[in-house]
Amino acid sequence: QIPKDPTQRWLRELSSLSQQLQQVHPNVLAKILKERTLYQNEEIVVIDKPYGLPVHGGPGIKNCIADVLPILAKMLENMKADPLHLCHRLDKETTGVMVLARSKEAAEKIRLLFKTRQVQKTYWAIVLGDPDPVEGVVEIPIVEKEVQSHQSHYKMTLAPNYRLCPEDGKVTKIRKNRHAESAVTRYRRLAAASSCSLLELQPITGVKHQLRVHLAYGLGCPILGDHKYSHWSKLAPQKLPELTLRRLKLEQSKARHLPLHLHARRLCLPLGQPLDFVCKPPLFFQKTLRKLELDIPKD
């Protein structure tokens, strides 16, 4: 039953995004990933990771990329193939460029490139608000903390090395949190409209949920659809500005259906010669850009 009303249809599309790939047979999932292959050679396979598909399994997860790597390898190489290997990870809700290796050796080589920060990664994110300044670098360490609330849960959060002294407004250094990991994100605004912005992000480090935390808590511009990092003390759907709701033709009560708008757009891998992969944002992301009248920059 497909709703006639376009707004209802859009809502249905959004709310089913996360469930879709959890319902299919592993063979079907491998086939979907095969169709989303952007590039392959004797060392690597590059895919466009779909929304709502976790890289690793866990409680309540029926399908994940790790589980279908043996099937995908056979599909790509006509039945005789070693399983593919993971080289890095993307969050379940993040879409875009992802590299898989054909051998253990290639996987180790690529993991080392990621670890030593030789891989250039570029993301696009639609965020609430407008960062000030419109481009810059967020360099604030990140740590995982338990949030004590009616529903206790764990979140990544900022652990700054500096704070403003309330008496004179001067910046003072504070004792380093020994559990915090240093985290650096470069960002620039590409477009702004409807109380939102489209940002280009380059994570220099690779800390868990780094982009989401730096944008929400460092810049005060949470990613659209990031219900986890839009509030510190509670787990609740993101509160959207009036104008954004109007443009998206959504009611605040339906905001919980909005998916995370974070896309791994580009990856430059120095394997022999530099390999450069670019991946268009998924359809729901493109639709949101149009609805919010955020102009997609021409490459």
Side-chain angles (χ1 to χ4, degrees):
Q1 194 63 36
I2 296 169
K4 284 197 169 62
D5 173 26
T7 305
Q8 288 300 321
R9 209 163 49 232
W10 163 241
L11 203 62
R12 172 79 64 86
E13 275 171 37
L14 294 182
S15 59
S16 65
L17 256 178
S18 276
Q19 281 84 51
Q20 280 165 351
L21 295 171
Q22 287 303 307
Q23 316 296 343
V24 301
H25 189 277
N27 288 359
V28 176
L29 182 58
K31 194 163 183 260
I32 290 167
L33 296 181
K34 181 188 178 210
E35 282 161 8
R36 298 175 75 101
T37 300
L38 303 172
Y39 174 86
Q40 52 179 317
N41 64 16
E42 57 288 341
E43 275 196 302
I44 59 169
V45 173
V46 181
I47 60 167
D48 170 7
K49 179 191 165 299
Y51 185 86
L53 181 63
V55 173
H56 297 284
I61 289 170
K62 183 170 170 259
N63 278 333
C64 68
I65 291 178
D67 289 351
V68 298
L69 291 180
I71 312 170
L72 178 60
K74 283 179 180 164
M75 283 183 177
L76 290 169
E77 291 189 44
N78 301 328
M79 299 322 289
K80 272 198 163 93
D82 294 327
L84 292 159
H85 300 262
L86 295 168
C87 304
H88 62 119
R89 57 175 300 160
L90 291 176
D91 285 353
K92 174 185 168 186
E93 295 91 358
T94 307
T95 55
V97 185
M98 188 169 173
V99 182
L100 306 166
R102 288 195 189 274
S103 67
K104 254 198 178 109
E105 298 72 47
E108 273 159 23
K109 187 161 58 171
I110 293 161
R111 280 181 208 132
L112 189 62
L113 291 174
F114 274 98
K115 203 174 170 185
T116 52
R117 301 179 191 172
Q118 294 181 65
V119 180
Q120 260 190 313
K121 297 168 284 184
T122 306
Y123 289 74
W124 275 6
I126 300 175
V127 302
L128 299 182
D130 203 4
D132 180 18
V134 293
E135 68 177 277
V137 176
V138 181
E139 189 171 348
I140 309 172
I142 288 175
V143 70
E144 189 160 27
K145 276 195 174 163
E146 186 177 4
V147 182
Q148 301 288 346
S149 68
H150 66 290
Q151 242 178 317
S152 284
H153 57 287
Y154 283 88
K155 268 184 188 163
M156 306 305 284
T157 190
L158 302 177
N161 293 331
Y162 299 89
R163 69 180 178 92
L164 287 176
C165 190
E167 289 79 51
D168 55 10
K170 284 190 176 151
V171 174
T172 56
K173 201 161 174 36
I174 52 179
R175 200 162 59 100
K176 228 177 166 155
N177 182 320
R178 61 196 170 89
H179 299 297
E181 294 183 73
S182 63
V184 184
T185 303
R186 191 176 285 131
Y187 73 93
R188 73 184 176 107
R189 189 184 73 185
L190 301 176
S194 318
S195 305
C196 292
S197 307
L198 173 66
L199 303 187
E200 179 184 85
L201 309 164
Q202 284 186 311
I204 311 300
T205 51
V207 179
K208 179 184 172 185
H209 294 174
Q210 174 181 319
L211 297 176
R212 296 164 67 177
V213 172
H214 272 174
L215 291 175
Y217 303 150
L219 287 172
C221 294
I223 298 176
L224 183 67
D226 195 347
H227 308 291
K228 180 166 186 162
Y229 289 106
S230 291
H231 317 271
W232 166 246
S233 59
K234 58 183 178 179
L235 290 168
Q238 188 174 50
K239 185 116 181 60
L240 299 179
E242 270 309 310
L243 179 57
T244 310
L245 287 168
R246 217 166 42 243
R247 288 272 162 84
L248 290 174
K249 294 192 167 65
L250 272 186
E251 293 160 33
Q252 177 57 46
S253 63
K254 301 282 190 265
R256 68 182 186 280
H257 295 304
L258 270 181
L260 183 77
H261 285 69
L262 178 61
H263 174 67
R265 174 169 157 66
R266 185 173 201 161
L267 197 134
C268 192
L269 200 60
L271 269 185
Q273 83 277 32
L275 296 169
D276 205 358
F277 307 109
V278 177
C279 190
K280 269 198 334 220
L283 221 49
F284 77 83
F285 195 115
Q286 294 177 43
K287 275 189 183 174
T288 301
L289 286 173
R290 280 200 300 275
K291 283 172 183 273
L292 295 175
E293 298 176 10
L294 286 164
D295 294 327
I296 300 183
K298 298 280 175 275
D299 277 340

